[in-house]
Amino acid sequence: SLLTGREEEGPEFGKPDFVLLDQVTMEDFMDNLKLRFEKGRIYTYIGEVVVSVNPYRKLPLYGPEMIAKYQGRELYERPPHLYAVADAAHKAMKRRAKDTCIVISGESGAGKTEASKHIMQYIAAITNPSQRAEVERVKDVLLKSTCVLEAFGNAHTNRNHNSSRFGKYMDINFDFKGDPTGGHIHSYLLEKSRVLKQHSGERNFHSFYQLLRGAKDGQLQDLNLQRDPALYTFTQQGAGLSVNSDEANYQAVIQAMKVIGFSSDEMDCVHRILAAILHLGNIQFVETESGLEVAEERLVDHVARLTATPRDLVMRSLLSRTVASGGRELIEKDHSAPEARYARDACAKAIYERLFGWIVGRINEVMEARGRDPRRDGKDTVIGVLDIYGFEIFPDNSFEQFCINYCNEKLQQLFIQLILKQEQEEYQREGITWQNIEYFNNSAIVELVERPHRGVLAILDEACASVGTVTDRLFLQSLDTHHRHHPHYTSRQLCPTDKTMEFGRDFRIKHYAGDVTSAVEGILGKGVCSGTYSTDLTLRSMWPDGQQDITEVTKRPLTAGTLFKNSMVALVENLAAKEPYYVRCIKPNEEKSPGHLDEERCRHQVAYLGLLENVRVRRAGFASRQPYPRFLLRYKMTCEYTWPNHLLGSDKSAVGALLEQHGLKDDVAFGHNKLFIRSPRTLVTLEQSRARLIPIIVLLLQKAWRGTLARRRCRRLKAIYTIMGCFRRHKVRTHLTELQNRFQAARHPPLYGRDMIWPTPPAVLQPFQDTCQGLFRRWRARQLVKNIPPSDMAQIKAKVAAMGALQGLRQDWGCGRAWSRDYLSSTIDNPTAAAPFAQQLKNLKEKDGFRNVLFSSHVRKVNRFNKSRDRALLLTDKHLYKLEPNKQYRVMRAVPLSQVTGLSVTSGQDQLVVLHAKGQDDLVVCLHRTQPKMDNRIGELVGMLAGHFQGVGQDLEVRVSDCIQLNQRGRRRHVSVESKPDQPTPDFRHSRDGFVLLWPSP
């Protein structure tokens, strides 16, 4: 970054810092200033002070890319720029939590307003990286307020096309992260006399021309206005000046006011007030035999309507005035023509001044920091930006010029105190070797204006307060009497040979920037305030004294001069409490010509701005100074002898050890209480060392803190687990006791605790209780099984197997009856053929060697030819037999049981079963001829077969479906059940894709 800065500022551009000049003379200073100006380098440093020369043209020095180059950089790393000063002020505010201010000074046309806008844009650009909505709102208001205030407070002058005719000081509040949270604008001494008249080649305030040239035709018609500014007394002077941007600026101002938060009614009121002022300026008076009258009364009607004031009240206020006598009695006195014109002008000035003040107040209301609690959010820090009028010398200097020049004297005094005088005094106080530098001290000029009882403003107050007629001439005589011997005051009476002044009219003050001759004509009137009334809420809010009794209003208020002096004293005290940064603006020529630098003109400005003295102080002095404790607090981590705490004799010794380790001891001086650092490069070196170590220290602190948090969490978890363990043990004991009490009688037959209700366990014991319930069910089953005769065990096992296969799939599967299994051997089911079946069974047993009969029954079967026949079904532990009951139960088909893969049944009451065998046609049968009739034996068949397969370790697939799929000779077919009330016995019939069992329904 340092290399980049040097490449951008080579020797062909001159010295970027006047402190680097070989010799500090006016000639060398001017040569360097002119060289840099001609090369397009309009900014030059004097230490941390920026000297800015107005280029009168646009330069590629601004915008997001340039902002990125300066953000977070030190002053010397980049070429001189306003952005560098703005970043330094913001950085100082964040690092040290100290209020800062940027004072922009220079004469009118030197570029102060543009400089303040660039600074505001930079601050807005580098803040709020998280895009918080409230911060964005504040930034928008800060930027847009400039546009609005320029419209109502700036004017085209001979020196400047956009000259600020008021002083502005803006405080920007920042939170601890450095993001703006609010702001406040202070305005100083609006040049309200410009409303009435302007010098040749100048205009009134921009707002009048923007309204006339930018408003729509319908709006102008509502305001009784015409577009030509030459038709109005107050704007005809500047009507011929070509300003092409009035129309666009009008739209920009309207948009800015909307962004800030002005309502439509408020903006309409502002336009009505501007129109009323224009109409007021066109009112003329004529003296008739009946008294003073208004020449065009329609103008009075316009003013009354636009200000929402009764017409007779407007007329009476123009033609007469009301005063309160000593006895609080009201007296109305008619005006003469000159008095009426004076009252009209005073009213126009007062209305515009109050309008401007109200606009500033509304902006402040919107910008005020919202919801900020110092106890919660921390103390806000502030950056102040001062953009105030420059020193002015006109052929005819009014009261406003007198106050403006006084303001510049105060600011120059502050500059002298902070930059020159205080610096020298501090060196002497700290015992630093120092060569005293002579500088111009303007304290005498400031005292000439503001000294109590004898100053110009004090004498003005006394003249305004005197009883009787005090003329301008008497006021001038009083000034001559008090300041006859003052070196900075003179008049024609005191210097009769000076013919540039007139007797009884002019006095001259020798300011630091030059001699200014002011006329006393009308100056007493300038010191008196006036008021007005209106029924319009916005206009009435601009005149809070309009709500008071007239006897209070007419009491003598503070004069404008005293009010301005008080505001200047407060401003200087405010600036002095902050860490200042200066921008000294220079106007290169009077013609506003780009590229031309008038050396004589600039030499004069360099002289009265005290820039040479500033260079001398900087060359002889030190760029920074810090108390030893503060310096150690910030940089002690960069030295092994001072981190974390030093063991040396004093902070001064510790600082010496730190600087010696860095090799920087030759660039500093040690005072009694402070360390003085000569070069900013030394500070940057220390800051870079600190920046490298801060992440390591942060990690160390994070590690320590995380360890603390982890240990604290571990202790807390141990305590929690201990409590949880005790509580769990308590819950377990309580639950086990409850289980023990409830299941005392569980051992007694015949129920063995079947109806016992298990208590609800704690969540942690739920798995335990589930296990206990499983164990209890096994134990209870064991107790019940123990009492079952061995002859019934086969039936029990078969029923268990059937339940596993059919539970929830078939409604009734005969669980509740006794299972006989071999129904063909029973004389109840087979009374006529039990004996032949028994003989056949004996023969098959001898032949195939089976041990047990699993199931036998008469069935109705259907073959692949759709023919139904009565047959018998025999299942043994070896084979599945299909028998012919009409031929002594002859075996028609025998299938080894190992080839049976599954069986399918329906979910209804029917007795349909399909037996599936590997490599053979599926057997479709329906159990029938049962006793009792329609007895449900499907579950028995499934249970006996499934139980046998489980016993031998084979798989048997049991499917439950109301449409059973089967396979006959490789062809897929389906069988379903149809209930028929008139069907006597179960039977099959052919369907489109298989068979249908016709089942008798009850």
Side-chain angles (χ1 to χ4, degrees):
S1 60
L2 295 180
L3 180 60
T4 303
R6 292 193 191 100
E7 288 176 349
E8 293 180 356
E9 282 287 303
E12 69 274 13
F13 297 108
K15 305 288 187 182
D17 193 328
F18 286 112
V19 176
L20 303 177
L21 290 175
D22 296 331
Q23 294 182 341
V24 185
T25 63
M26 179 61 78
E27 287 71 22
D28 291 330
F29 190 99
M30 289 304 304
D31 289 344
N32 191 62
L33 185 72
K34 184 175 182 180
L35 173 61
R36 291 183 61 77
F37 179 75
E38 290 172 349
K39 295 287 187 179
R41 295 303 195 262
I42 61 172
Y43 300 119
T44 313
Y45 288 140
I46 303 178
E48 293 181 352
V49 175
V50 174
V51 178
S52 170
V53 185
N54 192 342
Y56 288 121
R57 60 190 173 100
K58 291 185 178 180
L59 295 174
L61 299 177
Y62 314 100
E65 292 184 3
M66 193 64 69
I67 288 173
K69 289 184 178 181
Y70 283 87
Q71 185 175 356
R73 301 288 186 177
E74 299 299 331
L75 274 175
Y76 78 89
E77 289 188 64
R78 295 291 185 199
H81 203 290
L82 289 172
Y83 290 167
V85 173
D87 191 79
H90 186 258
K91 197 184 305 175
M93 178 203 70
K94 284 184 65 177
R95 283 179 179 173
R96 301 195 290 274
K98 182 176 176 61
D99 293 347
T100 60
C101 64
I102 302 174
V103 180
I104 307 171
S105 58
E107 67 177 56
S108 179
K112 301 184 300 301
T113 299
E114 287 300 312
S116 69
K117 287 196 286 189
H118 290 310
I119 289 171
M120 296 291 297
Q121 289 164 358
Y122 181 83
I123 292 174
I126 66 171
T127 53
N128 196 29
S130 59
Q131 295 295 306
R132 288 186 292 163
E134 175 62 16
V135 177
E136 285 299 306
R137 182 193 70 82
V138 171
K139 285 164 54 174
D140 286 343
V141 174
L142 289 172
L143 295 176
K144 295 297 184 182
S145 65
T146 302
C147 175
V148 176
L149 293 179
E150 282 187 6
F152 290 89
N154 289 24
H156 180 110
T157 67
N158 290 319
R159 293 188 168 195
N160 188 354
H161 290 166
N162 189 32
S163 176
S164 296
R165 308 319 299 163
F166 72 104
K168 180 179 72 172
Y169 174 72
M170 179 182 290
D171 266 333
I172 310 172
N173 298 81
F174 293 84
D175 60 14
F176 72 97
K177 293 184 290 186
D179 292 334
T181 59
H184 190 87
I185 296 173
H186 301 267
S187 62
Y188 301 99
L189 192 67
L190 178 72
E191 189 190 20
K192 55 187 178 181
S193 63
R194 181 168 292 273
V195 174
L196 308 181
K197 60 180 180 179
Q198 307 88 39
H199 295 290
S200 177
E202 297 189 351
R203 296 201 317 174
N204 207 325
F205 292 102
H206 294 322
S207 56
F208 292 108
Y209 303 94
Q210 290 174 0
L211 174 64
L212 293 174
R213 289 175 171 150
K216 295 181 180 179
D217 293 336
Q219 184 179 3
L220 290 181
Q221 188 174 356
D222 291 339
L223 299 174
N224 301 110
L225 293 176
Q226 299 182 49
R227 201 168 292 280
D228 187 3
L231 299 176
Y232 303 98
T233 303
F234 290 163
T235 56
Q236 63 184 4
Q237 168 63 41
L241 295 177
S242 176
V243 179
N244 299 325
S245 57
D246 281 331
E247 183 174 351
N249 287 340
Y250 174 80
Q251 298 301 328
V253 172
I254 294 296
Q255 186 60 34
M257 294 179 79
K258 289 179 181 178
V259 172
I260 292 171
F262 285 85
S263 67
S264 297
D265 291 341
E266 288 174 333
M267 289 190 286
D268 289 342
C269 181
V270 169
H271 295 148
R272 289 199 307 272
I273 292 173
L274 292 175
I277 293 173
L278 291 175
H279 290 307
L280 199 60
N282 280 5
I283 293 177
Q284 300 297 327
F285 303 95
V286 294
E287 293 184 357
T288 63
E289 295 179 358
S290 58
L292 190 65
E293 294 182 358
V294 174
E296 293 183 71
E297 293 193 0
R298 65 179 180 82
L299 296 175
V300 178
D301 296 336
H302 296 338
V303 173
R305 183 180 66 82
L306 293 170
T307 60
T309 306
R311 180 184 185 281
D312 57 340
L313 182 58
V314 175
M315 186 69 78
R316 192 164 65 247
S317 64
L318 290 171
L319 300 180
S320 63
R321 69 179 184 273
T322 302
V323 296
S325 65
R328 301 177 65 85
E329 182 180 347
L330 300 180
I331 300 174
E332 187 168 309
K333 182 180 178 182
D334 292 338
H335 282 319
S336 63
E339 289 174 337
R341 287 192 292 271
Y342 180 84
R344 175 202 63 197
D345 294 347
C347 182
K349 291 190 298 182
I351 292 175
Y352 194 82
E353 181 183 34
R354 296 299 179 103
L355 170 64
F356 184 78
W358 176 82
I359 290 173
V360 173
R362 281 289 289 116
I363 294 174
N364 286 335
E365 288 176 12
V366 177
M367 282 201 303
E368 186 176 358
R370 300 176 181 176
R372 300 288 298 170
D373 185 354
R375 293 172 296 181
R376 180 191 66 209
D377 305 313
K379 177 183 176 294
D380 284 352
T381 47
V382 171
I383 291 180
V385 180
L386 179 65
D387 172 19
I388 206 159
Y389 16 59
F391 194 86
E392 294 182 345
I393 305 175
F394 295 139
D396 296 321
N397 297 290
S398 65
F399 175 74
E400 280 81 4
Q401 272 70 50
F402 171 79
C403 291
I404 286 171
N405 294 335
Y406 159 63
C407 166
N408 279 269
E409 290 287 358
K410 289 290 291 183
L411 294 177
Q412 179 67 10
Q413 184 184 42
L414 175 68
F415 178 77
I416 291 171
Q417 289 176 345
L418 295 180
I419 300 298
L420 305 178
K421 183 178 178 182
Q422 288 182 2
E423 189 152 352
Q424 292 191 161
E425 289 177 352
E426 184 174 30
Y427 293 154
Q428 295 171 358
R429 188 169 56 250
E430 289 289 326
I432 302 297
T433 304
W434 174 258
Q435 180 181 359
N436 195 49
I437 296 174
E438 297 295 329
Y439 55 85
F440 176 75
N441 193 333
N442 67 339
S443 298
I445 304 174
V446 175
E447 286 189 3
L448 170 64
V449 178
E450 67 178 17
R451 182 179 178 183
H453 309 300
R454 292 178 57 85
V456 175
L457 293 177
I459 296 172
L460 176 61
D461 286 352
E462 184 180 349
C464 291
S466 299
V467 179
T469 302
V470 179
T471 65
D472 296 334
R473 186 179 291 272
L474 292 176
F475 169 65
L476 181 59
Q477 290 176 1
S478 180
L479 287 178
D480 291 341
T481 302
H482 285 87
H483 302 295
R484 179 180 299 272
H485 302 294
H486 199 288
H488 296 280
Y489 174 85
T490 186
S491 68
R492 185 65 184 275
Q493 184 70 25
L494 300 179
C495 187
T497 60
D498 189 348
K499 296 183 180 180
T500 59
M501 296 182 287
E502 290 189 14
F503 280 106
R505 191 194 73 175
D506 297 338
F507 69 94
R508 179 176 297 156
I509 294 180
K510 299 178 181 179
H511 288 280
Y512 74 96
D515 297 347
V516 181
T517 302
S518 301
V520 296
E521 291 178 348
I523 199 169
L524 295 179
K526 303 280 185 176
V528 182
C529 297
S530 63
T532 188
Y533 295 93
S534 173
T535 58
D536 182 275
L537 294 178
T538 304
L539 186 56
R540 190 161 54 189
S541 67
M542 301 177 192
W543 295 87
D545 49 5
Q547 307 301 317
Q548 302 174 17
D549 186 83
I550 191 170
T551 57
E552 297 177 359
V553 175
T554 53
K555 289 181 181 178
R556 183 176 65 88
L558 293 175
T559 64
T562 298
L563 290 173
F564 184 71
K565 181 193 77 172
N566 295 342
S567 66
M568 282 298 101
V569 172
L571 172 64
V572 169
E573 289 177 354
N574 189 2
L575 295 176
K578 295 176 171 59
E579 183 172 324
Y581 292 82
Y582 284 93
V583 179
R584 311 293 262 174
C585 297
I586 292 179
K587 182 177 183 179
N589 58 73
E590 290 291 343
E591 297 79 25
K592 310 184 193 68
S593 174
H596 172 59
L597 187 140
D598 185 339
E599 288 196 43
E600 192 58 36
R601 188 79 185 81
C602 294
R603 189 187 301 267
H604 176 68
Q605 296 174 73
V606 168
Y608 75 66
L609 288 173
L611 299 184
L612 278 179
E613 291 86 346
N614 192 2
V615 174
R616 293 191 182 102
V617 170
R618 276 290 173 182
R619 283 168 67 95
F622 298 86
S624 175
R625 70 229 52 180
Q626 295 185 36
Y628 294 121
R630 185 195 297 171
F631 183 88
L632 276 178
L633 185 64
R634 185 159 187 84
Y635 301 113
K636 62 181 180 179
M637 71 287 299
T638 65
C639 175
E640 57 183 325
Y641 302 112
T642 56
W643 177 256
N645 292 300
H646 70 84
L647 300 176
L648 301 175
S650 65
D651 288 347
K652 184 176 181 179
S653 302
V655 170
L658 187 152
L659 292 170
E660 187 170 357
Q661 179 169 324
H662 285 280
L664 301 173
K665 209 166 185 180
D666 294 337
D667 197 43
V668 301
F670 295 89
H672 300 310
N673 304 299
K674 293 182 179 181
L675 174 71
F676 291 80
I677 302 172
R678 189 179 304 277
S679 169
R681 204 176 295 265
T682 297
L683 271 181
V684 173
T685 301
L686 292 171
E687 284 291 337
Q688 290 172 345
S689 298
R690 181 179 182 273
R692 285 193 299 269
L693 292 171
I694 283 296
I696 301 173
I697 296 171
V698 168
L699 287 175
L700 177 65
L701 294 175
Q702 286 178 339
K703 182 177 72 173
W705 178 240
R706 286 171 179 165
T708 301
L709 291 178
R711 286 188 290 273
R712 184 185 299 172
R713 184 171 179 271
C714 182
R715 289 194 297 269
R716 188 178 299 165
L717 287 175
K718 282 184 178 179
I720 291 172
Y721 289 146
T722 302
I723 295 171
M724 288 172 60
C726 294
F727 183 71
R728 283 176 177 172
R729 287 192 292 272
H730 164 72
K731 296 293 286 186
V732 168
R733 285 194 298 269
T734 303
H735 187 67
L736 292 178
T737 303
E738 179 68 17
L739 284 176
Q740 187 176 6
N741 294 335
R742 289 196 182 192
F743 286 87
Q744 284 290 342
R747 293 181 178 274
H748 303 308
L751 300 180
Y752 293 104
R754 185 191 70 182
D755 299 330
M756 295 293 182
I757 298 175
W758 287 77
T760 303
V764 70
L765 289 181
Q766 187 63 53
F768 168 75
Q769 180 139 316
D770 293 341
T771 303
C772 287
Q773 287 176 339
L775 292 173
F776 174 74
R777 285 192 293 269
R778 292 174 65 87
W779 173 83
R780 183 172 177 274
R782 179 69 177 168
Q783 297 304 315
L784 295 174
V785 168
K786 282 195 310 185
N787 297 324
I788 297 174
S791 59
D792 295 338
M793 285 305 297
Q795 181 181 167
I796 295 297
K797 290 181 178 180
K799 287 186 176 182
V800 170
M803 183 175 66
L806 301 177
Q807 184 74 27
L809 300 176
R810 184 177 173 95
Q811 296 178 359
D812 185 13
W813 45 275
C815 177
R817 64 176 184 81
W819 290 0
S820 299
R821 297 182 297 168
D822 187 6
Y823 292 99
L824 294 179
S825 298
S826 170
T827 57
I828 298 175
D829 272 73
N830 192 13
T832 61
F837 176 75
Q839 182 61 42
Q840 178 67 7
L841 190 63
K842 182 179 178 182
N843 295 335
L844 291 174
K845 188 172 186 179
E846 291 176 356
K847 175 185 176 183
D848 296 332
F850 65 84
R851 291 191 300 273
N852 296 314
V853 175
L854 300 180
F855 185 81
S856 67
S857 175
H858 287 106
V859 298
R860 185 75 173 173
K861 72 99 180 179
V862 62
N863 61 18
R864 68 180 184 274
F865 302 111
N866 305 320
K867 294 182 179 181
S868 300
R869 298 286 188 272
D870 285 337
R871 295 289 184 262
L873 180 69
L874 173 63
L875 282 172
T876 68
D877 55 4
K878 293 289 187 177
H879 288 84
L880 182 154
Y881 298 99
K882 183 175 73 172
L883 308 175
E884 171 58 76
N886 296 325
K887 296 182 179 181
Q888 302 296 316
Y889 292 98
R890 179 173 60 86
V891 176
M892 299 182 68
R893 181 181 176 187
V895 179
L897 203 61
S898 59
Q899 293 185 7
V900 175
T901 59
L903 76 162
S904 300
V905 298
T906 68
S907 62
Q909 298 289 336
D910 59 87
Q911 300 298 297
L912 175 67
V913 60
V914 177
L915 294 162
H916 308 285
K918 187 188 307 179
Q920 300 190 39
D921 289 350
D922 293 339
L923 180 62
V924 184
V925 299
C926 174
L927 308 182
H928 80 137
R929 292 171 58 184
T930 61
Q931 293 295 330
K933 192 177 181 179
M934 313 297 288
D935 193 16
N936 192 346
R937 294 176 181 174
I938 287 294
E940 186 175 357
L941 171 60
V942 172
M944 296 305 297
L945 195 58
H948 172 75
F949 270 73
Q950 289 177 3
V952 298
Q954 291 183 351
D955 293 331
L956 179 71
E957 182 181 7
V958 179
R959 288 180 290 183
V960 180
S961 173
D962 291 333
C963 183
I964 300 174
Q965 182 177 317
L966 56 97
N967 186 16
Q968 289 184 336
R969 297 293 179 176
R971 181 181 176 188
R972 290 184 178 275
R973 309 184 83 174
H974 293 85
V975 60
S976 58
V977 178
E978 182 180 335
S979 297
K980 295 190 68 174
D982 55 351
Q983 180 74 22
T985 60
D987 201 0
F988 292 95
R989 69 174 174 82
H990 176 67
S991 67
R992 186 183 63 176
D993 60 345
F995 314 103
V996 175
L997 173 65
L998 301 177
W999 180 256
S1001 62

